[in-house]
Amino acid sequence: MFQFSMQTALDVRAKQEKVKMKEMALALSLQQRLESQIEEIDQAVTHSDRNFGLAKKAGTFTILDFKMVDGFRQKKALDRGLLVAKHKEAAAFTEKRRLELVEASKKRKTLEILRDRELARFTAKMARLEREFSDETASNQFAMNHR
């Protein structure tokens, strides 16, 4: 029966890869959530501009409306700037996690290659032993039949 000599190390590396995968998924989730929030701000500003444009065409806006829209735009621009900065940090963190995941995958795959090579050597050895046994059995049978 084949027993990989470094199976424990392979199991540990597979677990480490799963942990790195979860960490990257969490980092990516945060990054996507920030992207979604930035998109919501952009949509809110676009909607506000559209409504303001319609009010201008209808001639129903006042200076107070203009100040409110301008204040809204400034607030959303500030919020968006903060989110963009957080997004940049999150993207860098996600990239770091991605590189760690790639490294963990390489380490696991290295041990899997070693396991496959060891299995191939074991299989070849077992086939050789089986051939030798068959040859010896056939030789003994031949010798017994000629006596």
Side-chain angles (χ1 to χ4, degrees):
M1 169 114 180
F2 175 71
Q3 186 73 20
F4 180 47
S5 61
M6 298 180 72
Q7 186 62 45
T8 304
L10 179 59
D11 294 342
V12 167
R13 289 197 177 161
K15 287 178 186 176
Q16 287 173 341
E17 182 182 19
K18 285 182 182 180
V19 167
K20 296 297 181 189
M21 200 176 298
K22 286 179 184 178
E23 289 174 355
M24 181 175 161
L26 289 172
L28 190 57
S29 173
L30 173 63
Q31 182 180 347
Q32 290 172 341
R33 193 169 37 248
L34 290 169
E35 289 170 0
S36 176
Q37 290 173 346
I38 290 169
E39 181 62 30
E40 287 174 12
I41 287 174
D42 291 344
Q43 289 175 356
V45 169
T46 301
H47 181 71
S48 173
D49 289 346
R50 190 177 312 121
N51 287 343
F52 183 66
L54 292 173
K56 273 177 39 177
K57 281 184 182 179
T60 59
F61 75 98
T62 64
I63 296 296
L64 183 59
D65 293 334
F66 180 74
K67 284 183 178 182
M68 285 177 42
V69 168
D70 189 51
F72 177 78
R73 278 191 205 145
Q74 288 179 6
K75 171 74 169 105
K76 290 301 177 183
L78 179 64
D79 291 346
R80 189 180 194 286
L82 293 173
L83 286 174
V84 166
K86 286 182 182 178
H87 179 266
K88 189 175 182 180
E89 289 175 17
F93 186 71
T94 301
E95 180 62 16
K96 180 181 176 188
R97 292 295 181 221
R98 186 190 68 78
L99 293 174
E100 289 174 357
L101 175 59
V102 166
E103 188 63 31
S105 293
K106 283 181 185 177
K107 288 179 179 180
R108 178 190 51 82
K109 287 178 184 177
T110 299
L111 284 179
E112 285 179 348
I113 290 168
L114 290 173
R115 179 196 62 204
D116 294 345
R117 287 179 183 167
E118 194 173 306
L119 177 60
R121 282 191 302 271
F122 175 80
T123 304
K125 180 180 178 182
M126 294 307 290
R128 182 182 51 80
L129 290 173
E130 191 173 313
R131 273 193 316 276
E132 289 174 0
F133 179 75
S134 295
D135 290 348
E136 186 176 330
T137 303
S139 294
N140 289 341
Q141 191 85 26
F142 182 76
M144 286 177 63
N145 287 341
H146 276 75
R147 285 189 189 165

